[in-house]
C-alpha cells in the first residue's frame, strides 16, 4: 500500500494512483474533501482503483503496525537503507510518504519499521514525492 498520508498537491495523488495500479498496490489517503476531487481529476485508469480513506492517519498507521503489517518510511535520513539494498516485500507492507513541504511528521517516525532513502547526486535537496514513492513501490513489488 502506498500511503501519502499528509499530501499537499493533488497532482501527486494521480501519479501515485497510476503507479499503484501498475504494481498491484492500493493507495491510502486521508479522508478529506479536496482529496476526492484530486483523485477524480488524476485518475486516468480504465478500471476502478483500490483506494482506502482513513480519517486519522496516525491511528490507522499504528493499528496496521500492531496487526503485523510492515511499515516502510520513504525519507532522506541518516539511518536510512538505500533503495538498492531494499529487498522485495515478503508480507503486507505500507509505504509511508512525506508531505511535499515538511516530509514525514515527527510523530509518525516511531511507527516506521524501516526508512528507505533514494540516493541523489544532483543539486536538488529531494525528489518529487510521487517519483520517490513510485521507485520504492516498484522495488518492493520486485518488478525492478
Ligand atoms: C519534497 S520531499 C520533502 C522535502 C522536505 N522539505 C523535507 O525536508 O523533508 C517529499 C517527500 O518525498 C519523499 N522523498 C523525496 N526525495 C526522497 C529521497 N531522495 N529519498 C527518500 N524519500 C524521498 C519523502 O517521502 C519526502 O517526505
Amino acid at each position: 500500500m502506498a500511503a501519502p498520508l499528509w499530501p499537499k498537491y493533488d497532482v501527486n495523488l494521480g501519479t501515485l494512483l497510476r503507479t499503484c495500479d501498475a504494481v498491484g498496490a492500493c493507495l491510502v489517503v486521508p479522508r478529506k474533501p479536496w482529496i476526492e476531487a484530486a483523485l477524480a481529476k488524476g485518475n486516468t485508469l480504465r478500471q476502478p482503483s483500490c483506494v482506502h480513506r482513513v480519517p486519522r492517519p496516525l491511528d490507522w498507521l499504528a493499528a496496521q503496525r500492531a496487526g503485523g503489517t510492515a511499515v516502510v518510511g520513504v525519507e532522506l535520513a541518516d539511518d536510512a537503507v538505500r533503495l538498492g539494498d531494499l529487498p522485495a516485500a515478503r508480507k503486507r507492507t505500507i509505504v509511508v510518504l512525506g508531505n511535499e513541504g515538511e516530509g514525514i511528521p515527527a510523530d509518525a517516525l516511531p511507527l516506521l519499521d524501516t526508512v528507505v532513502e533514494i540516493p541523489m547526486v544532483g543539486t536538488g535537496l529531494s525528489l518529487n514525492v510521487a517519483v520517490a514513492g513510485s521507485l520504492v513501490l516498484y522495488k518492493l513489488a520486485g518488478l525492478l
Side-chain angles (χ1 to χ4, degrees):
M1 281 182 277
L5 296 174
W6 307 274
K8 187 174 180 186
Y9 300 123
D10 56 2
V11 66
N12 291 327
L13 297 177
T15 302
L16 284 166
L17 196 59
R18 292 180 65 177
T19 300
C20 284
D21 176 70
V23 303
C26 295
L27 185 70
V28 186
V29 291
R31 189 187 293 276
K32 293 183 178 177
W34 77 266
I35 302 261
E36 294 310 315
L39 290 174
K41 183 177 165 191
N43 192 351
T44 56
L45 302 170
R46 293 181 185 161
Q47 303 294 329
S49 42
C50 177
V51 180
H52 299 287
R53 284 100 176 157
V54 295
R56 292 177 300 281
L58 277 183
D59 291 348
W60 174 81
L61 200 54
Q64 294 293 317
R65 190 170 184 243
T69 298
V71 181
V72 175
V74 180
E75 198 55 272
L76 289 149
D78 289 342
D79 59 347
V81 173
R82 291 164 65 96
L83 180 62
D85 296 328
L86 184 71
R90 295 190 177 170
K91 64 181 205 176
R92 193 170 186 267
T93 300
I94 297 169
V95 176
V96 177
L97 300 164
N99 172 272
E100 288 88 334
E102 311 294 330
I104 297 176
D107 48 5
L109 298 179
L111 299 173
L112 307 177
D113 296 311
T114 312
V115 178
V116 60
E117 170 180 305
I118 301 152
M120 299 171 58
V121 297
T123 56
L125 297 178
S126 64
L127 294 165
N128 167 273
V129 66
V131 170
S134 295
L135 288 168
V136 173
L137 286 165
Y138 261 91
K139 192 73 166 55
L140 285 171
L143 293 175
L144 285 180

